[in-house]
Amino acid sequence: MNTEFQIKENGFAEIKKAMIIKTIPIAILAAGTGLTISHFNTNGQSSDVNVLPFVIPIIIGALAFGLFKGINRQKGLFESYKLIINENEIIREQNNTQTISIPRNEIKSIIRNPKGILTIVGNSNTEIIGVPSQINNSEKLEQILSQIKPITDSDKKPLTEKYKGVLILLMLGLMATVYISKDKIIVGITGTILVLFLGYSFYEVRRNKNIDKKTKNGMWWIIFVLLSIIGNMYFKLTGKL
């Protein structure tokens, strides 16, 4: 017999504010980095300053529209979350996201963090089911899961999640350096780090079963960014730029 758990009513409202607070600074930093690169690449000519009163409102409008669309899409994804437990396996289903199925006898651990989020770990790095704290009947769920595997409390986070803000700042800094700097050694080092970092990010997102298909497909833009970075490095390192 299947036992199903879904997101409780108004569950998304509990995380919406946190999502907005995290997204806005990143979007502003990214836009600011783009404007800085553009400014320095045109040698800071006065014409750049003249267009700012027109460009900035457009950027703000685009960011606001993108944030609105993104939040609504995340709401639909979040509310479609379903966890199914039967005699043989635990299954996570979600709209436009690859279904994850972990046999009971392959569950290595079940971890609960201080926020009440559960992580069910299978035999591989791709077989991981995250259970939001906004799941309904959470006490019943934990009771069932504890019969499969003892639930371990832990406040440890993956390094990529723990230092997410630092990594974003590092990436933006590397991006600005590659396009602004004229020094071949600096461009070579920062460009190589950036290419490796973006390449690894692309690989990890594409293989992650907890990320929806639209986000995965959107990651293909990184290929164009990588080509742009490699092209910029080539011209600067060969003295053609």
Side-chain angles (χ1 to χ4, degrees):
M1 184 179 71
N2 290 345
T3 304
E4 295 188 6
F5 298 88
Q6 295 178 311
I7 300 299
K8 63 185 180 182
E9 188 176 354
N10 296 321
F12 184 75
E14 295 181 11
I15 65 169
K16 181 179 178 180
K17 184 177 179 181
M19 288 180 64
I20 294 174
I21 291 173
K22 290 179 181 179
T23 303
I24 289 178
I26 295 172
I28 292 174
L29 281 171
T33 302
L35 288 173
T36 301
I37 292 172
S38 175
H39 176 74
F40 279 97
N41 281 344
T42 52
N43 298 317
Q45 296 176 1
S46 59
S47 58
D48 294 334
V49 179
N50 293 336
V51 299
L52 288 181
F54 303 97
V55 173
I56 291 178
I58 293 174
I59 292 175
I60 293 174
L63 292 177
F65 178 75
L67 180 62
F68 174 77
K69 292 283 289 183
I71 291 296
N72 282 339
R73 185 168 70 84
Q74 289 300 318
K75 182 176 186 290
L77 286 170
F78 189 74
E79 292 180 345
S80 70
Y81 182 99
K82 183 186 294 184
L83 190 71
I84 304 168
I85 302 177
N86 58 39
E87 295 178 356
N88 302 311
E89 58 191 350
I90 297 178
I91 305 166
R92 194 273 288 132
E93 296 179 352
Q94 198 166 14
N95 286 351
N96 299 316
T97 306
Q98 186 175 354
T99 298
I100 302 176
S101 176
I102 305 178
R104 282 179 176 238
N105 59 2
E106 292 183 7
I107 295 175
K108 285 186 175 181
S109 61
I110 302 175
I111 303 167
R112 178 176 52 210
N113 75 6
K115 293 183 179 180
I117 298 173
L118 297 170
T119 303
I120 304 169
V121 183
N123 276 335
S124 70
N125 292 333
T126 59
E127 302 304 318
I128 296 175
I129 296 176
V131 185
S133 59
Q134 291 77 25
I135 201 79
N136 66 349
N137 296 322
S138 57
E139 292 183 1
K140 180 181 178 181
L141 172 61
E142 291 190 11
Q143 182 181 7
I144 294 174
L145 290 177
S146 62
Q147 293 172 357
I148 301 173
K149 204 82 173 178
I151 298 175
T152 304
D153 289 311
S154 175
D155 58 356
K156 292 182 179 180
K157 297 180 180 179
L159 289 177
T160 52
E161 182 181 344
K162 187 176 181 180
Y163 298 105
K164 183 178 179 180
V166 175
L167 291 173
I168 290 172
L169 289 174
L170 176 62
M171 186 186 70
L172 293 175
L174 291 172
M175 184 80 71
T177 302
V178 167
Y179 283 98
I180 294 172
S181 178
K182 304 294 183 182
D183 187 288
K184 291 183 179 182
I185 296 177
I186 293 177
V187 170
I189 294 173
T190 56
T192 301
I193 295 173
L194 188 57
V195 167
L196 292 174
F197 181 81
L198 291 176
Y200 176 76
S201 298
F202 176 82
Y203 170 74
E204 283 297 314
V205 169
R206 292 293 301 176
R207 73 193 287 265
N208 193 323
K209 294 182 180 180
N210 285 289
I211 296 179
D212 65 280
K213 293 177 182 177
K214 186 170 183 178
T215 300
K216 287 186 176 184
N217 291 335
M219 288 298 290
W220 285 105
W221 68 268
I222 283 185
I223 301 299
F224 296 101
V225 175
L226 286 171
L227 290 175
S228 173
I229 293 169
I230 293 170
N232 181 75
M233 289 173 62
Y234 170 77
F235 285 113
K236 286 188 174 181
L237 295 178
T238 57
K240 294 181 180 181
L241 187 65

